[in-house]
Amino acid sequence: MVGNQQKKGLGRGLSALFGDDEPIGTDLSLSASRKFKTVPVSKLKPCPFQPRRNFDSKSIDDLATSMNTHGVLQPLLVRSTDIEGEYEIVAGERRWRAAQKAKIHELPVVIRDLTTENVLQIGLVENLQREDLTPLEEAETYKRLIEEFGYTQDGLATVIGKSRPHIANMMRLLSLPKDVQTLVNNNSLSAGHARTLIGNDRAYELAQRAIKEKLSVRELERLTQIKQVQSKSSSAKSNKSSKGPNIKDLEQKVSRHLGSNFTVNPNKKGGGKIVIDYTDMAQFDMIFEKLIK
């Protein structure tokens, strides 16, 4: 886990890691105090821990045109690799890609000794500040920091300046079917629409309908609720005889405790499903807190 000073630095932005507090976009010619060196583009390589996987080609083309006109106004943040003279890009991969298109052979860099944990954090903060990550790229990075480096959602929220419910809601997107995740990653479906479909057996079908009919999130929520009611009605008819008085009593007690409808749907094999209803994210957070306690 990083120290308090590093956590504060991440909260202030990447300027702290460049050795001063100048705005990151300041022209290098006006920042003589910056300590950077020039490195051949061929000696730089993408970082495997970079949260961002999708790079817009038009955006890179526009940046390449700007570089040809104005030069490179911002150094890349890098760390050394095991190969002498080679560096791994921590922040600035888009600039590196644009430089190759612009036929620029050398780039200014700031070299820092950073751990993998630092790299993940910095990449996440930089891209969040610039709104460059897809919702699923953001969620994957949260998951990795929690699973590999022992963060809690509360601790991670403190480091990156986001709320715990935001982190929890983004990570829930990872439970969506892969075909729905693909729709989110290519911007066909918004994160708000996708959250409405979490846990739905017909998520992809409903997602396709939302895209085709240009449904709002609210309209998709209503459609999802209608489908759930229809599904529950059908399920209730088939399972009605298999529910004993003990299960019904349990449903009532848990429903009162959670403040929401709690349903047990047993099947003929001895298993089944437990369903908890919620009407909005505020109620979801309330139910979640009660469950983890």
Side-chain angles (χ1 to χ4, degrees), residues 227-237 261 263 275 277:
K227 295 295 184 183
Q228 285 177 335
V229 168
Q230 292 173 342
S231 176
K232 285 179 183 178
S233 176
S234 174
S235 178
K237 289 178 181 178
N261 189 44
T263 308
V275 180
D277 296 341

Side-chain angles (χ1 to χ4, degrees), residues 150-256:
Y151 282 93
T152 63
Q153 289 185 2
D154 285 327
L156 187 54
T158 300
V159 171
I160 65 170
K162 295 284 185 180
S163 69
R164 188 206 62 76
H166 171 82
I167 292 172
N169 286 334
M170 296 306 292
M171 290 183 64
R172 290 173 62 234
L173 294 175
L174 298 175
S175 65
L176 286 164
K178 293 298 181 184
D179 48 8
V180 179
Q181 291 187 27
T182 299
L183 294 176
V184 177
N185 262 336
N186 63 24
N187 294 319
S188 298
L189 192 72
S190 75
H193 286 86
R195 277 195 291 271
T196 301
L197 302 173
I198 291 172
N200 194 299
D201 293 337
R202 303 171 66 181
Y204 185 68
E205 174 191 333
L206 291 168
Q208 292 281 42
R209 182 169 171 181
I211 295 168
K212 182 179 180 181
E213 299 180 17
K214 295 183 169 65
L215 299 178
S216 67
V217 173
R218 187 65 64 186
E219 289 170 334
L220 181 58
E221 284 177 349
R222 284 197 291 267
L223 177 62
T224 302
Q225 288 168 359
I226 291 171
K227 295 295 184 183
Q228 285 177 335
V229 168
Q230 292 173 342
S231 176
K232 285 179 183 178
S233 176
S234 174
S235 178
K237 289 178 181 178
S238 62
N239 291 322
K240 189 173 182 181
S241 60
S242 61
K243 282 190 184 181
N246 290 336
I247 291 180
K248 292 180 180 179
D249 182 56
L250 175 66
E251 287 178 332
Q252 292 176 359
K253 288 180 179 178
V254 178
S255 293
R256 284 195 299 269

Side-chain angles (χ1 to χ4, degrees), residues 23-253:
I24 220 76
T26 302
D27 190 315
L28 289 174
S29 63
L30 303 177
S31 305
S33 62
R34 288 183 187 269
K35 295 180 180 179
F36 64 91
K37 65 181 292 184
T38 301
V39 173
V41 169
S42 60
K43 293 297 183 180
L44 299 170
K45 68 174 187 176
C47 176
F49 306 109
Q50 160 68 258
R52 191 176 179 188
R53 293 287 177 264
N54 300 295
F55 290 87
D56 180 67
S57 57
K58 184 180 183 306
S59 172
I60 291 177
D61 288 341
D62 290 344
L63 182 56
T65 301
S66 175
M67 284 181 169
N68 277 326
T69 304
H70 304 290
V72 182
L73 304 181
Q74 189 177 31
L76 283 67
L77 180 64
V78 303
R79 66 174 181 172
S80 300
T81 68
D82 294 334
I83 301 175
E84 180 70 26
E86 184 178 271
Y87 300 93
E88 196 173 77
I89 302 168
V90 176
E93 183 176 338
R94 194 170 72 98
R95 271 163 279 153
W96 173 73
R97 289 170 179 262
Q100 294 175 75
K101 287 203 168 190
K103 308 299 183 185
I104 294 173
H105 302 295
E106 293 185 324
L107 286 171
V109 303
V110 174
I111 305 167
R112 289 287 179 266
D113 184 17
L114 299 167
T115 65
T116 298
E117 180 182 359
N118 296 151
V119 171
L120 276 170
Q121 291 175 333
I122 293 164
L124 177 61
V125 170
E126 181 202 28
N127 284 295
L128 285 177
Q129 288 176 343
R130 297 176 182 178
E131 299 181 349
D132 283 338
L133 294 179
T134 69
L136 286 161
E137 287 172 338
E138 183 179 344
E140 286 284 3
T141 308
Y142 292 151
K143 180 183 177 185
R144 189 164 189 180
L145 285 165
I146 288 171
E147 291 184 352
E148 295 185 23
F149 299 101
Y151 282 93
T152 63
Q153 289 185 2
D154 285 327
L156 187 54
T158 300
V159 171
I160 65 170
K162 295 284 185 180
S163 69
R164 188 206 62 76
H166 171 82
I167 292 172
N169 286 334
M170 296 306 292
M171 290 183 64
R172 290 173 62 234
L173 294 175
L174 298 175
S175 65
L176 286 164
K178 293 298 181 184
D179 48 8
V180 179
Q181 291 187 27
T182 299
L183 294 176
V184 177
N185 262 336
N186 63 24
N187 294 319
S188 298
L189 192 72
S190 75
H193 286 86
R195 277 195 291 271
T196 301
L197 302 173
I198 291 172
N200 194 299
D201 293 337
R202 303 171 66 181
Y204 185 68
E205 174 191 333
L206 291 168
Q208 292 281 42
R209 182 169 171 181
I211 295 168
K212 182 179 180 181
E213 299 180 17
K214 295 183 169 65
L215 299 178
S216 67
V217 173
R218 187 65 64 186
E219 289 170 334
L220 181 58
E221 284 177 349
R222 284 197 291 267
L223 177 62
T224 302
Q225 288 168 359
I226 291 171
K227 295 295 184 183
Q228 285 177 335
V229 168
Q230 292 173 342
S231 176
K232 285 179 183 178
S233 176
S234 174
S235 178
K237 289 178 181 178
S238 62
N239 291 322
K240 189 173 182 181
S241 60
S242 61
K243 282 190 184 181
N246 290 336
I247 291 180
K248 292 180 180 179
D249 182 56
L250 175 66
E251 287 178 332
Q252 292 176 359
K253 288 180 179 178

